[in-house]
Amino acid sequence: MQALCYRGVNSLSVEQVPDPAILNPRDVIVRVKLSTACGSDLHLLNGYVPTMEKGDIIGHEFMGEVVEIGPEVKKLQRGQRVVVVSVIGCGSCQYCRDDMWSLCDNTNPNAWVLEKAYGHSGAGIFGYSHGFGGYAGCHAEYIRVPFADNGAFPIPDTVSDDKALFVSDAFPTGYMAAAMCAIKPTDTVAVWGCGAVGQMAMRSAHLLGASKVIAIDRLADRLYMAKEKSGAYQTINYEQQNVYEALQDLTAGRGPDACIDAVGMEAHGPGVEYYYDKAKQTVRLSTDRALVLRQMIRCCRKGGILSVVGVYGGVIDKFPMGALMNKALVLHTGQMHGQKYAPHLLEHIAKGEIDTSDLITHRGPLTQAPALYRTFNDKAEACMRPVFEIG
Amino acid sequence: METTQTAHACPALWNDDSRRLACIAGGLALGGYIFTHPRTLKFMLGLGVAELLRRNVPLRIDAPSLRPGRLMQSGKIQAHASITIAGGPEHVYRFWRNYENAPKFMSGVEDVRIVSENVAEWRMRTMQGHRLSWVGETTEDIPGQRIGWRVIGSDVIAGSGKVEFKNGVAPGTTEVRVRQEVRLPVAGGGWLSRTFMARRMEESLRRLKQLIETGEVARTDGQPAGERGLAGRIAHEYVKPVLIPQ
């Protein structure tokens, strides 16, 4: 089959690789119909995740059709149209049973790597480096899905492929970001980063009853979508406006009740702080750029909530612990627990309460994936999400 | 109790003499290469300086780790590992006590043949690829609580150990703690062999947990991938089997 393989920093190629096989009794094989590039893939591509290897098939956000099932698969059948969440959960460990699927104890065969780095390992993730299990990714004609009864969700007939696709990752990530904010009807929520996850976080914040949502980014097309499609009450272009001052003005000096980081380790900024972080990251004195975290801590109201779903990989510098502590802020974080949210989100889509298909700005066959990844990485041509039409 | 044979099934050509000759030849070849390649020579000298500093400068970045096995005066390596498993102590004990389950989760164990209630013949493959077999005797057996064992009748491997099963803090969970002292035939007692032994125990317990909780062991070997390149092939074929012992 054809697959998109990692060849080194900022280097991808479409290669002929063997078809996947059922390796464990609860596996299924899915014929991939649509897959999409995620912002966190760019951290892998840009060389900030050290456990990538040449030949790895990347990609973790996809939908398709079940074509082969293992002997212990109970819920799925051949021919079913499914969307598969990007984190792999066993469904049996304490964390899965507590609905914290991305913390699964049992699905990372390379758990020792993350134990060395983080103290404990989380779940395996498709196409997301060997530290997260070394699972083959979804930018391929077929993919093996372990513990498929837990992670592959049949798509209702009324929901199109395009609409279902982002239930795989971007939508549950955004939804979880908003859910972690414990939103009350009077709350103002500020969202840093208006990529796909940020847009989903804004729409989810509205679903969960937020009074006002404020969007922060530097790209005009993304801020436009935030305002027009995701219901942002106000947008802030951080290259043209001081974010702290703007947020205090918009909240009459109080600060947002909750702040969402949908940016992560490759944050940008207009001033010296950005170049300082960039320099330290380049020479690996820190691995992640913490601009957004610092801003959120400064801007959030006292006793407010910080919700971090943007991906961080290692260590950051100049973390304002004093402000976090003295303002009594609450910090919630995590990779998304897709298995918890996916059924609920498919219902929202089926009822027409939310549409995700407008995130798709570029399409192409798998052979165009390297070029589309470049466009996505460069944020050129107003690229929000490129989708690969595979099957 | 009858003690039986120990087989050390190394190929006849690979004995102490041939190993020594191969080491000398390899050492000379490597030394020749290093001294004719200045950059490599500098690198090796740098490594030597770093090692001298490490050994002699009282600089410590953390408290000493107890995780790599400890070399005892007897020449045995002592190592311990623990894990929490969703399942009652009786259930986990029964799975472990059925020694025929061992190849499913114990790193390196290829086969276990039950000889009698308390005696079993074990076959395993070492990190270096040697096949070993020995007879193990169960010295303590308290259902749902503890199993103790020792190696009997072997001159290449010696050791003993115990595993304890206790109720975990959360209802229906078990805390499993393993401690063993083993003298290995080929590895010696260096940091690497102690670390690898500890790693094997950790991976074994991880697989035990996966099997009991999910019925299968998570794996990604045998998956499709593109061309790995030379370094990738070496990593996959030679380095990973050591880091993630099967």
Side-chain angles (χ1 to χ4, degrees):
Chain A
M1 67 171 182
Q2 279 195 324
L4 182 67
C5 296
Y6 177 83
R7 302 262 23 112
V9 174
N10 286 316
S11 176
L12 293 169
S13 70
V14 178
E15 298 179 22
Q16 201 68 30
V17 304
D19 286 353
I22 300 274
L23 297 177
N24 272 331
R26 293 163 73 184
D27 295 351
V28 305
I29 304 294
V30 168
R31 181 172 66 81
V32 180
K33 294 178 78 177
L34 297 179
S35 72
T36 179
C38 173
S40 55
D41 293 338
L42 301 179
H43 308 321
L44 310 180
L45 275 181
N46 291 333
Y48 297 119
V49 179
T51 55
M52 288 298 290
E53 293 176 16
K54 281 182 184 173
D56 286 347
I57 302 171
I58 67 164
H60 57 259
E61 197 161 359
F62 65 106
M63 55 77 56
E65 179 190 336
V66 177
V67 293
E68 200 177 335
I69 57 174
E72 294 293 326
V73 174
K74 309 285 186 207
K75 298 180 189 168
L76 298 169
Q77 294 169 344
R78 281 190 190 83
Q80 265 182 322
R81 203 165 56 103
V82 292
V83 58
V84 181
V85 295
S86 59
V87 299
I88 303 166
C90 75
S92 310
C93 70
Q94 196 63 49
Y95 290 102
C96 289
R97 289 193 290 183
D98 289 345
D99 250 355
M100 294 190 283
W101 296 79
S102 68
L103 305 180
C104 177
D105 269 341
N106 291 321
T107 53
N108 185 351
N110 300 331
W112 70 279
V113 176
L114 289 192
E115 283 173 1
K116 295 293 177 212
Y118 298 161
H120 298 90
S121 168
I125 301 177
F126 294 107
Y128 203 68
S129 84
H130 289 264
F132 285 89
Y135 287 94
C138 66
H139 298 329
E141 291 176 73
Y142 298 93
I143 183 169
R144 165 190 169 236
V145 178
F147 297 107
D149 278 336
N150 303 325
F153 294 88
I155 301 169
D157 291 340
T158 52
V159 175
S160 69
D161 293 353
D162 283 1
K163 287 182 176 175
L165 173 62
F166 295 102
V167 174
S168 177
D169 189 294
F171 192 5
T173 303
Y175 191 88
M176 181 166 134
M180 289 195 295
C181 294
I183 292 169
K184 296 188 289 294
T186 53
D187 277 0
T188 297
V189 178
V191 179
W192 273 255
C194 297
V197 169
Q199 303 288 344
M200 290 295 100
M202 289 179 232
R203 295 175 202 188
S204 300
H206 283 299
L207 270 179
L208 293 170
S211 167
K212 290 174 184 171
V213 173
I214 300 168
I216 303 157
D217 205 299
R218 74 183 196 283
L219 301 170
D221 49 283
R222 294 188 175 190
L223 289 170
Y224 177 81
M225 178 182 265
K227 182 110 181 166
E228 297 302 315
K229 302 283 184 67
S230 301
Y233 145 78
Q234 190 62 264
T235 62
I236 300 172
N237 184 328
Y238 63 74
E239 288 187 330
Q240 296 169 1
Q241 231 178 332
N242 181 291
V243 174
Y244 173 78
E245 291 172 3
L247 283 173
Q248 302 316 302
D249 284 347
L250 288 167
T251 56
R254 199 164 45 99
D257 300 285
C259 298
I260 292 174
D261 176 354
V263 178
M265 64 161 69
E266 292 187 72
H268 291 80
V272 174
E273 187 184 348
Y274 166 70
Y275 292 101
Y276 173 83
D277 276 354
K278 177 79 177 162
K280 290 202 80 168
Q281 190 183 41
T282 302
V283 297
R284 299 299 190 266
L285 283 173
S286 65
T287 58
D288 306 348
R289 306 199 293 259
L291 284 89
V292 167
L293 287 174
R294 294 187 201 110
Q295 271 188 0
M296 292 204 321
I297 289 170
R298 187 150 185 263
C299 295
C300 191
R301 77 158 166 84
K302 291 179 285 184
I305 294 175
L306 310 176
S307 170
V308 180
V309 292
V311 170
Y312 290 86
V315 292
I316 58 172
D317 191 17
K318 306 290 183 289
F319 184 78
M321 193 63 211
L324 183 80
M325 185 269 168
N326 287 295
K327 289 173 72 177
L329 300 178
V330 178
L331 179 61
H332 288 293
T333 65
Q335 298 276 359
M336 59 89 187
H337 309 305
Q339 289 85 342
K340 174 182 178 180
Y341 298 113
H344 182 51
L345 301 185
L346 281 168
E347 265 179 45
H348 276 304
I349 294 172
K351 287 180 187 169
E353 292 167 347
I354 202 160
D355 186 9
T356 60
S357 56
D358 55 1
L359 298 177
I360 303 172
T361 52
H362 293 64
R363 288 174 179 276
L366 193 59
T367 48
Q368 288 180 14
L372 286 170
Y373 258 102
R374 268 195 300 280
T375 306
F376 182 48
N377 195 19
D378 297 343
K379 298 175 177 59
E381 303 168 17
C383 184
M384 176 70 75
R385 277 298 179 94
V387 165
F388 313 126
E389 297 169 323
I390 300 174
Chain B
M1 188 65 60
E2 183 187 355
T3 60
T4 55
Q5 90 294 355
T6 299
H8 187 178
C10 294
L13 287 174
W14 190 242
N15 52 34
D16 285 349
D17 288 339
S18 59
R19 193 180 299 130
R20 194 174 299 116
L21 276 174
C23 286
I24 291 168
L28 285 173
L30 187 61
Y33 177 84
I34 288 169
F35 279 97
T36 53
H37 290 74
R39 287 180 64 184
T40 313
L41 178 60
K42 280 182 196 167
F43 178 72
M44 296 305 290
L45 286 172
L47 274 185
V49 169
E51 176 62 11
L52 280 173
L53 287 172
R54 188 188 71 79
R55 282 172 182 248
N56 295 294
V57 175
L59 180 66
R60 187 181 275 178
I61 57 171
D62 202 350
S65 168
L66 299 177
R67 266 297 163 82
R70 204 157 55 89
L71 183 62
M72 305 181 72
Q73 282 193 332
S74 62
K76 291 177 184 169
I77 297 171
Q78 185 189 72
H80 67 276
S82 61
I83 204 161
T84 301
I85 297 178
E90 278 290 339
H91 178 54
V92 181
Y93 159 84
R94 276 199 306 277
F95 192 90
W96 187 297
R97 183 62 180 84
N98 180 2
Y99 295 140
E100 287 173 339
N101 281 330
K104 296 178 191 167
F105 71 94
M106 282 191 191
S107 176
V109 173
E110 292 185 326
D111 179 51
V112 179
R113 189 176 67 84
I114 307 297
V115 178
S116 68
E117 188 184 350
N118 287 325
V119 177
E121 187 181 345
W122 296 66
R123 293 178 204 280
M124 75 171 291
R125 187 185 283 268
T126 66
M127 296 274 186
Q128 292 84 0
H130 299 297
R131 282 208 162 82
L132 296 175
S133 70
W134 71 91
V135 175
E137 180 190 28
T138 303
T139 54
E140 189 179 17
D141 187 3
I142 305 174
Q145 293 182 37
R146 188 160 56 238
I147 300 170
W149 67 87
R150 65 177 179 141
V151 175
I152 55 177
S154 169
D155 56 3
V156 290
I157 187 168
S160 61
K162 69 176 179 182
V163 54
E164 290 182 313
F165 310 93
K166 287 185 177 169
N167 280 314
V169 177
T173 63
T174 302
E175 292 179 1
V176 181
R177 288 189 168 78
V178 187
R179 180 176 291 273
Q180 64 178 359
E181 296 172 14
V182 176
R183 183 171 59 238
L184 298 172
V186 285
W191 177 83
L192 266 183
S193 52
R194 285 184 282 130
T195 300
F196 288 158
M197 182 169 148
R199 284 278 307 119
R200 282 198 144 182
M201 286 172 66
E202 285 170 9
E203 286 303 321
S204 297
L205 286 190
R206 202 191 313 283
R207 283 197 283 264
L208 174 73
K209 176 181 170 72
Q210 290 174 2
L211 276 169
I212 288 178
E213 292 186 353
T214 75
E216 62 185 53
V217 173
R219 54 185 289 204
T220 48
D221 56 306
Q223 286 198 134
E227 172 57 38
R228 291 281 185 204
L230 180 62
R233 284 202 298 277
I234 290 171
H236 277 264
E237 289 176 27
Y238 300 104
V239 179
K240 284 196 174 169
V242 175
L243 294 175
I244 313 173
Q246 298 301 307

